[in-house]
Amino acid sequence: METMCLSAHRKYPLGSEKEEIRRKSLEIMKKAIIFSRDLGIRIIQLAGYDVYYEKSNAATRENFTRELKKCVEYAAEFGIILAFETMETEFMNTIRKAKAVVEVMESPYLQIYPDIGNIRNATEHYQEDILAGRGKSVAVHLKETRENVFRDMEYGEGRVDFKGCISRLVSQGVFRFTCEFWYDKKTCPELYLRRNREYIRRCLPE
């Protein structure tokens, strides 16, 4: 296991206006970094939210930037890379938006781990957005989506051009891909995984 997704910041976001939530958020981040060090995980995928259940505003964005800097410095001590997942909210739903935050931090330990499905729903120009991540994308999350639908579908049921996306990513030197599977509770799990795995394999370069 070389990468992992840290999803707890959805409930405990770095940008919260509540100090106790920000404190919990940093505590979770530090534990995740130490856990990664102990297991040999190299990359932690971070949810690109300033807040989720609260309203985003200037204060939450300022809090997010300040607390993120602490996280990046702590990760650097352990040689762990933090990388943003592009999300389904306006705050960070494209690579360009994630890149803007990464460039503010100016650290090799903060990069981008984009979710292709979320980007597809954020912009019709998602292929160009992928190219904007050159030199910043360290791994990629392959997820299928449809317009305004972000989950619960198999590969091929949505509108993401995985073959085109993967080709553009490989041209940038990105070779690490993580697949997201949504089990429908109707199909045999083994058949479900095999079917979706084969779909993505056909999208990979020869």
Side-chain angles (χ1 to χ4, degrees):
M1 184 165 62
E2 298 172 348
T3 77
M4 79 168 186
C5 170
L6 179 62
S7 58
H9 283 163
R10 182 170 178 161
K11 184 175 181 180
Y12 300 102
L14 292 168
S16 176
E17 294 194 82
K18 299 175 183 178
E19 185 178 353
E20 64 272 22
I21 291 181
R22 296 199 304 273
R23 191 181 306 118
K24 180 70 173 179
S25 183
L26 285 175
E27 178 186 333
I28 290 169
M29 187 76 262
K30 289 182 177 181
K31 287 181 177 179
I33 290 168
I34 293 170
F35 177 79
S36 297
R37 187 274 314 271
D38 292 346
L39 268 66
I41 294 169
R42 303 169 190 172
I43 304 169
I44 299 175
Q45 184 190 55
L46 296 182
Y49 300 124
D50 57 340
V51 288
Y52 188 80
Y53 296 108
E54 302 173 42
K55 186 176 180 179
S56 178
N57 55 45
T60 62
R61 293 190 289 273
E62 182 180 344
N63 289 342
F64 176 81
T65 301
R66 184 183 63 252
E67 302 304 310
L68 176 64
K69 188 174 188 298
K70 297 174 187 177
C71 294
V72 174
E73 289 174 351
Y74 194 72
E77 290 182 32
F78 292 89
I80 304 295
I81 293 173
L82 308 181
F84 283 128
E85 178 182 7
T86 49
M87 308 307 292
E88 73 278 19
T89 60
E90 284 295 323
F91 179 72
M92 196 181 290
N93 57 0
T94 66
I95 288 176
R96 284 183 173 86
K97 290 179 181 179
K99 185 178 178 181
V101 176
V102 168
E103 289 178 342
V104 167
M105 292 293 125
E106 295 186 315
S107 170
Y109 292 96
L110 182 66
Q111 301 296 335
I112 307 171
Y113 197 139
D115 181 316
I116 298 305
N118 289 345
I119 295 170
R120 177 65 183 91
N121 275 1
T123 174
E124 290 297 323
H125 306 292
Y126 69 111
Q127 300 279 10
E128 290 81 359
D129 193 61
I130 287 170
L131 296 177
R134 183 176 295 276
K136 300 295 183 183
S137 296
V138 292
V140 176
H141 188 170
L142 300 176
K143 185 180 75 177
E144 184 68 280
T145 55
R146 293 192 293 270
E147 186 175 3
N148 298 320
V149 181
F150 294 86
R151 53 178 295 158
D152 297 324
M153 70 193 78
E154 296 189 45
Y155 294 116
E157 294 181 347
R159 56 179 186 161
V160 178
D161 174 11
F162 289 103
K163 194 164 188 176
C165 291
I166 290 170
S167 175
R168 283 167 173 76
L169 289 158
V170 168
S171 74
Q172 299 176 38
V174 179
F175 295 96
R176 185 162 299 282
F177 301 97
T178 298
C179 294
E180 182 165 343
F181 300 109
W182 299 100
Y183 181 47
D184 61 7
K185 299 182 181 179
K186 300 174 185 176
T187 312
C188 168
E190 185 177 341
L191 291 176
Y192 181 93
L193 287 170
R194 186 181 298 129
R195 184 167 64 234
N196 282 274
R197 180 190 63 189
E198 290 307 313
Y199 182 94
I200 288 298
R201 278 188 170 175
R202 291 194 297 270
C203 297
L204 297 173
E206 296 286 332

